[in-house]
Amino acid sequence: MIILGIDPGTSRIGYGIISADHHIFEFIAYGCLEIEKQHKKEVRLPAIHNHIKDLIIRYKPEYAAMEKLFFQNNQKTVMAVSEARGVIYNACAMSAVPVGEYAPLQIKHAVTGYGKADKKQMQKMVQLLLRLPDIPRPDDAADALAIAICHALLSRDHAGTQTQ
């Protein structure tokens, strides 16, 4: 099973692509789409859509997984991330790629066994599980790989794709 993990943001979208076969994970690709913060959403949103669509065309994932949006104090940021998530969902839906959605605590618990793991613990487990020589950088890409691993672990425990 090939999974596209996505860490949505306003100007930086992390992605990580893995192959999962039972509890064996293989790294395929990771990186970040970075968009200048000064660009208006009329530029940012189509760029996000096209980038996700290009990843789907290139890697042909069977599933996508994304971190749930959690409450933030800055409403402007919440709206911008929500718009990016909508564009990501649209790109996946247009390509018939189902999307699983996971809370940060779910991701941490699935990857490390501890729902309150810190960023360093998460990154180290991603590195170990994917047998990478170094911790993936930038952090957004490492987070996206963790989201993909989480989906592989949790979707295996349930019938079909888990979307929450």
Side-chain angles (χ1 to χ4, degrees):
M1 155 170 64
I2 296 175
I3 304 165
L4 166 61
I6 304 166
D7 183 28
T10 54
S11 61
R12 182 182 249 182
I13 310 288
Y15 68 89
I17 302 160
I18 66 167
S19 172
D21 184 16
H22 300 287
H23 287 158
I24 299 169
F25 307 110
E26 296 290 332
F27 153 78
I28 296 174
Y30 68 85
C32 273
L33 166 63
E34 296 191 45
I35 303 168
E36 298 292 330
K37 290 184 181 187
Q38 69 267 21
H39 286 313
K40 294 182 179 184
K41 66 181 167 184
E42 292 84 359
V43 173
R44 282 187 297 106
L45 296 178
I48 293 167
H49 184 274
N50 290 337
H51 185 68
I52 298 300
K53 193 170 82 175
D54 289 346
L55 290 171
I56 291 169
I57 290 168
R58 181 171 182 189
Y59 295 105
K60 299 173 182 34
E62 297 164 68
Y63 301 97
M66 201 171 3
E67 185 175 59
K68 278 186 181 178
L69 184 61
F70 54 93
F71 177 76
Q72 297 177 353
N73 292 330
N74 186 338
Q75 282 187 323
K76 188 175 180 182
T77 301
V78 169
M79 285 302 295
V81 174
S82 294
E83 290 169 346
R85 287 170 44 82
V87 167
I88 293 165
Y89 266 108
N90 183 263
C92 291
M94 290 178 69
S95 301
V97 176
V99 180
E101 192 173 9
Y102 303 94
L105 289 176
Q106 282 179 293
I107 297 164
K108 291 176 181 183
H109 188 267
V111 174
T112 69
Y114 179 57
K116 294 184 180 180
D118 65 26
K119 192 165 274 294
K120 280 191 167 201
Q121 290 171 308
M122 286 288 292
Q123 292 171 340
K124 189 63 179 170
M125 281 305 297
V126 166
Q127 178 189 7
L128 292 172
L129 289 170
L130 295 174
R131 295 174 305 284
L132 297 171
D134 298 304
I135 289 174
R137 297 280 184 235
D139 292 352
D140 307 87
D143 292 348
L145 288 167
I147 294 163
I149 292 168
C150 171
H151 182 80
L153 292 169
L154 294 184
S155 68
R156 193 172 296 115
D157 294 337
H158 301 88
T161 302
Q162 180 181 13
T163 55
Q164 297 180 341

